[in-house]
Amino acid sequence: MNIQWYPGHMTKAKRAMKEDIKLIDLVIELVDARVPLSSRNPDIDSLAAGKARMVLLNKSDLADERLNAQWAAWFEAKGIHVVKIDARNKGTLKQVQGVVQQACRDKIERDRKRGILNRPIRTMVVGIPNVGKSTFINSFAGKACAKTGNKPGVTKGNQWIRLNKTLELLDTPGILWPRFDDQSVGLKLALIGSINDQILNKDELAGQCIRILKEQYPGTLLNRFDLETEDKEPAAILEDIARARSCLMKGGELDVARASALLLDDFRAGKLGRVTLEQPGE
């Protein structure tokens, strides 16, 4: 499966971010905790050069907690401040304000020495499509400031949001990079929903999901669908899922396409358990 997706609006968004970065003190990057490396846009490192950095491991409630801790340590070893969050749960966001202050400590001290007091920290919130930026901003602000949606590409332009006297956020569209040289990256992004489903072969994607789960989290499909999967190929397992969930077409024929969509929806919603698809050092 060859996966590439780079809509035209992303080029425009990247240009706007390059202009706005001059105004920014801190870059807050949201990544999906299930694929913390694959869900990082490699262009962000050059874009944010010289700026304070912070990573939010979003959807950490859906990821393997043991690997959450390992990934947090991996980012911190690179000098990047980290908070594990679930953007839908305000309780997990309580640490963010304090870590923002910590990440910008040098900037705050420079302002103090110049006699500049209480100037708000300006942050740019970045991330790939469907990683939860707008949900995070709305939860963090306590009000609906940014458009959200359960599909990539909802946010189209940059938007300044003043949270309080000490913090301003710049919401930016989700941007990918023009080409996935490593197709395993494209596969992982498709699995978490960061690639437009309309360009994907869902049957093939579901088959790849089954292969990964069998290898990395054996027993997951048995627990969810009460199916034995050992020594079975993905196509046969998809047929078993179609039977187990009564995914049938007229005449009683198995609706494998519906079973594939169901499996992918379950994976993305965390109904298959806490799964992380990559680990530091791979």
Side-chain angles (χ1 to χ4, degrees):
M1 177 184 286
N2 187 280
I3 299 171
Q4 303 292 343
W5 186 55
Y6 192 69
H9 76 269
M10 291 187 181
T11 302
K12 181 179 177 183
K14 188 177 174 182
R15 281 199 300 266
M17 289 167 68
K18 285 182 176 178
E19 284 297 313
D20 289 329
I21 197 69
K22 305 168 194 171
L23 308 171
I24 298 301
D25 303 306
L26 169 69
V27 175
I28 298 178
E29 181 181 7
L30 271 81
V31 301
D32 190 307
R34 296 168 294 180
V35 286
L37 200 57
S38 293
S39 59
R40 294 192 77 203
N41 186 331
D43 294 338
I44 298 302
D45 283 338
S46 56
L47 177 77
K51 303 294 180 181
R53 300 291 301 277
M54 183 172 169
V55 160
L56 300 181
L57 285 169
N58 191 29
K59 305 184 184 181
S60 59
D61 57 309
L62 305 181
D64 188 322
E65 182 55 33
R66 178 181 58 87
L67 289 172
N68 282 343
Q70 290 184 23
W71 276 110
W74 186 87
F75 282 112
E76 286 164 356
K78 296 182 177 297
I80 300 174
H81 297 264
V82 182
V83 182
K84 294 179 289 183
I85 68 166
D86 166 10
R88 301 162 301 177
N89 182 349
K90 292 182 182 179
T92 68
L93 306 182
K94 291 178 181 177
Q95 303 174 61
V96 174
Q97 181 81 42
V99 178
V100 166
Q101 297 293 317
Q102 185 181 349
C104 294
R105 188 170 47 198
D106 291 345
K107 174 261 176 195
I108 294 168
E109 182 60 20
R110 285 196 303 271
D111 282 355
R112 188 189 66 78
K113 288 179 178 177
R114 294 172 185 162
I116 303 170
L117 301 178
N118 301 322
R119 185 172 78 84
I121 294 169
R122 287 185 160 184
T123 70
M124 179 183 281
V125 182
V126 300
I128 66 169
N130 209 33
V131 80
K133 295 184 308 301
S134 297
T135 301
F136 159 69
I137 288 172
N138 291 340
S139 294
F140 195 42
K143 57 185 177 181
C145 305
K147 290 182 180 179
T148 64
N150 192 27
K151 61 180 181 178
V154 174
T155 303
K156 296 292 186 184
N158 292 1
Q159 176 187 4
W160 278 104
I161 298 161
R162 186 178 177 89
L163 290 192
N164 51 51
K165 292 179 180 179
T166 64
L167 187 61
E168 294 178 356
L169 299 181
L170 179 61
D171 185 19
T172 64
I175 59 168
L176 293 168
W177 48 109
R179 183 171 183 80
F180 303 132
D181 293 324
D182 181 352
Q183 274 299 298
S184 71
V185 171
L187 170 63
K188 291 170 190 172
L189 296 186
L191 285 172
I192 65 170
S194 289
I195 305 290
N196 190 336
D197 275 341
Q198 293 180 349
I199 71 163
L200 300 172
N201 180 327
K202 280 196 168 185
D203 292 0
E204 191 174 344
L205 186 60
Q208 294 285 5
C209 182
I210 289 170
R211 288 186 195 280
I212 292 170
L213 291 173
K214 283 185 68 179
E215 179 182 335
Q216 298 185 20
Y217 291 89
T220 296
L221 296 170
L222 173 64
N223 293 338
R224 177 63 178 167
F225 299 106
D226 196 23
L227 298 174
E228 287 294 344
T229 59
E230 195 171 346
D231 300 325
K232 284 192 175 182
E233 289 298 311
I237 294 171
L238 278 173
E239 290 181 354
D240 288 345
I241 291 173
R243 289 189 194 91
R245 289 294 187 267
S246 299
C247 298
L248 303 173
M249 295 186 285
K250 285 183 179 178
E253 186 179 348
L254 294 175
D255 191 342
V256 174
R258 189 172 148 208
S260 297
L262 185 151
L263 174 67
L264 292 171
D265 286 346
D266 278 2
F267 171 77
R268 291 168 181 173
K271 293 179 180 178
L272 301 183
R274 300 183 67 162
V275 172
T276 298
L277 300 182
E278 55 194 16
Q279 48 191 305
E282 273 189 331

